[in-house]
Amino acid sequence: MDIVPLLPMTTPRLSLRLFTPGDADDLYAYQSLPSVARYLYRPAHTRERSEQVAAERAAHSVWRADGDKLALAVCRRDEPGVLGEVTLALADARAAQAEIGWTLDPRHQGHGYATEAAAALAGFAFDRLGVHRLYARLDVENTGSVRVCERLGMRREAHLVENDLDGDRWGSEYIYAALAADIGGQSGG
């Protein structure tokens, strides 16, 4: 399925749209921060990597096979610029399972934007893309993302203890999930 005709999605305060190559500076502003990269299990982005990621995301808008990923820029409806992103990765097309994620520039955290954007994307996944089960993997120390999962009505299904080595630090993860029957019908217009 080509996602482009279904976008942008809007919420009362936000617009969720495909990235453009011109979003590289906004992407770099938060993806270059070690405090952000820590919870993404990868190094902070260089400017060149941010440019590459923005271009890749702008070019990918299909949703049909295992591994397909939709990454949307989170923008305020009334102001230019990217606040962060929400992502959806098709983990298993046959079983209609997808992983949801979000990353917000720390300057824009604490205003409910992550929850608003994630709720819109979750509703879109269930209502428009036919996802049966949506899950999120997050570092247990990422308390902001724990709160987003709980606000979305997701249930904690697992606590994986020291399951990932991030540099020289063992990290533990929570797995949160919801079924379409649990929280479907919340998509933005």
Side-chain angles (χ1 to χ4, degrees), residues 2-4 7 16-32 36-37 40 42-46 48-63 67-75 82-89 100-105 121:
D2 183 10
I3 303 295
V4 173
L7 298 174
L16 310 179
R17 61 164 174 77
L18 287 177
F19 276 88
T20 68
D23 293 325
D25 287 340
D26 288 342
L27 189 63
Y28 177 71
Y30 64 92
Q31 289 284 359
S32 64
V36 170
L40 300 175
R42 58 145 180 83
H45 279 184
T46 62
E48 294 76 25
R49 179 67 182 140
S50 291
E51 290 169 0
Q52 181 183 24
V53 168
E56 289 169 359
R57 290 177 176 180
H60 190 79
S61 63
V62 291
W63 182 265
D68 282 349
K69 188 171 183 178
L70 176 64
L72 300 176
V74 176
C75 308
V82 175
L83 308 177
E85 63 201 68
V86 287
T87 61
L88 199 61
I100 190 171
W102 46 85
T103 306
L104 215 59
D105 184 321
L121 186 60

Side-chain angles (χ1 to χ4, degrees), residues 122 126-127 131-134 152-153 155 178-186:
F126 291 132
D127 299 342
V131 169
H132 170 71
R133 180 175 179 272
L134 192 63
L152 292 177
R155 75 186 141 272
L179 301 176
D182 297 333
I183 62 173
Q186 298 179 12

Side-chain angles (χ1 to χ4, degrees), residues 109-134:
Q109 292 175 358
H111 302 287
Y113 296 134
T115 301
E116 189 173 329
L121 186 60
F124 180 78
F126 291 132
D127 299 342
R128 304 297 293 272
L129 300 179
V131 169
H132 170 71
R133 180 175 179 272
L134 192 63

